[in-house]
Amino acid sequence: MFDVSHWLSALPPVAVYLIVAGVIGVESMGVPLPGEIVLVSSALLAASGVVEPEWVATAAAFGAIVGDSVGYAVGRRGGRPLLERLGRRFPKHLGPAHLARAEQSFARHGVWAVFFGRFVALLRILAGPLAGALHVPYRRFLLANAAGGLVWAFGTTYLLYTVGRAAEHWLKDISWAGLVLAVLAGLGSTWWLRRRARRMAAIEPDDATEPVGAGTDR
């Protein structure tokens, strides 16, 4: 991540925003890319004053929403065979076991899997194509997609921006104790949200018998 930050810091701000939107957008279409690493690195650059946090967050949200929508359209047209082809192309990220977990999450939680999936690497990649392949109504998908993208993008950016700015201030004027408290607070809130999202993505033994499309009408 430090190499990514160093590389991004050498670019003009507009290029950073475009890279954030592009990487996150392509990742959301179903291609495994380090979207979260790019967002975290850019948010830390914003804390250093290299770029503006509101534009980093806007670019991330735009990429997430548009990328998921494109992934939805591709999944709707290609169906499950497309997802299986992606699994063969990226077996470490989108293999049969990954696809099964994502399908179970949709079957159990419906469009909520789209919202919370933004905070889980697996569902962040598969949410759009899988929702399209399962014929989730697009309006419901778009609502959950937009809400998840905005919360994830702005929440992550401003959490890291605030912690970074506070750390810079405390390192100068207070002590390491203040920095530790700020980092713990940020990590605690992030851990809670990720834990909630992972619970939704986890497969329970009795889920295996539930039809895949059962939760899409919830």
Side-chain angles (χ1 to χ4, degrees):
M1 188 171 69
F2 292 106
D3 291 338
V4 174
S5 297
H6 179 73
W7 177 67
L8 289 174
S9 65
L11 300 174
V14 173
V16 174
Y17 307 142
L18 291 175
I19 288 172
V20 169
V23 171
I24 292 174
V26 173
E27 179 192 45
S28 300
M29 293 177 194
V31 179
L33 288 180
E36 190 167 48
I37 292 177
V38 170
L39 176 58
V40 169
S41 300
S42 300
L44 293 175
L45 287 179
S48 302
V50 177
V51 292
E52 298 297 328
E54 62 269 23
W55 285 109
V56 171
T58 300
F62 178 82
I65 296 169
V66 173
D68 267 345
S69 293
V70 173
Y72 176 94
V74 171
R76 182 113 182 174
R77 178 179 293 271
R80 185 181 175 87
L82 171 66
L83 299 176
E84 292 174 346
R85 287 198 298 272
L86 285 174
R88 290 192 293 270
R89 187 175 181 84
F90 305 105
K92 293 183 179 180
H93 301 279
L94 305 175
H98 301 93
L99 179 58
R101 285 183 59 199
E103 285 184 317
Q104 289 294 338
S105 182
F106 267 85
R108 186 176 181 187
H109 303 292
V111 293
W112 282 107
V114 176
F115 178 87
F116 283 104
R118 180 50 56 181
F119 300 89
V120 180
L122 169 64
L123 287 178
R124 185 163 57 246
I125 298 171
L126 281 176
L130 189 56
L134 296 178
H135 294 277
V136 175
Y138 180 70
R139 289 185 180 180
R140 298 182 65 189
F141 166 79
L142 181 60
L143 180 61
N145 171 34
L150 288 169
V151 171
W152 175 72
F154 280 84
T156 300
T157 300
Y158 277 96
L159 173 63
L160 292 171
Y161 173 77
T162 301
V163 170
R165 297 292 291 178
E168 181 179 327
H169 171 75
W170 279 329
L171 281 174
K172 290 180 180 178
D173 300 329
I174 303 181
S175 66
W176 279 96
L179 173 61
V180 170
L181 289 175
V183 171
L184 288 177
L187 290 176
S189 59
T190 302
W191 171 83
W192 180 88
L193 193 52
R194 287 182 179 276
R195 183 167 177 264
R196 169 78 175 176
R198 287 193 180 110
R199 279 184 175 180
M200 296 193 69
I203 299 178
E204 295 185 1
D206 58 352
D207 286 338
T209 60
E210 188 174 358
V212 170
T216 56
D217 292 331
R218 297 180 188 178

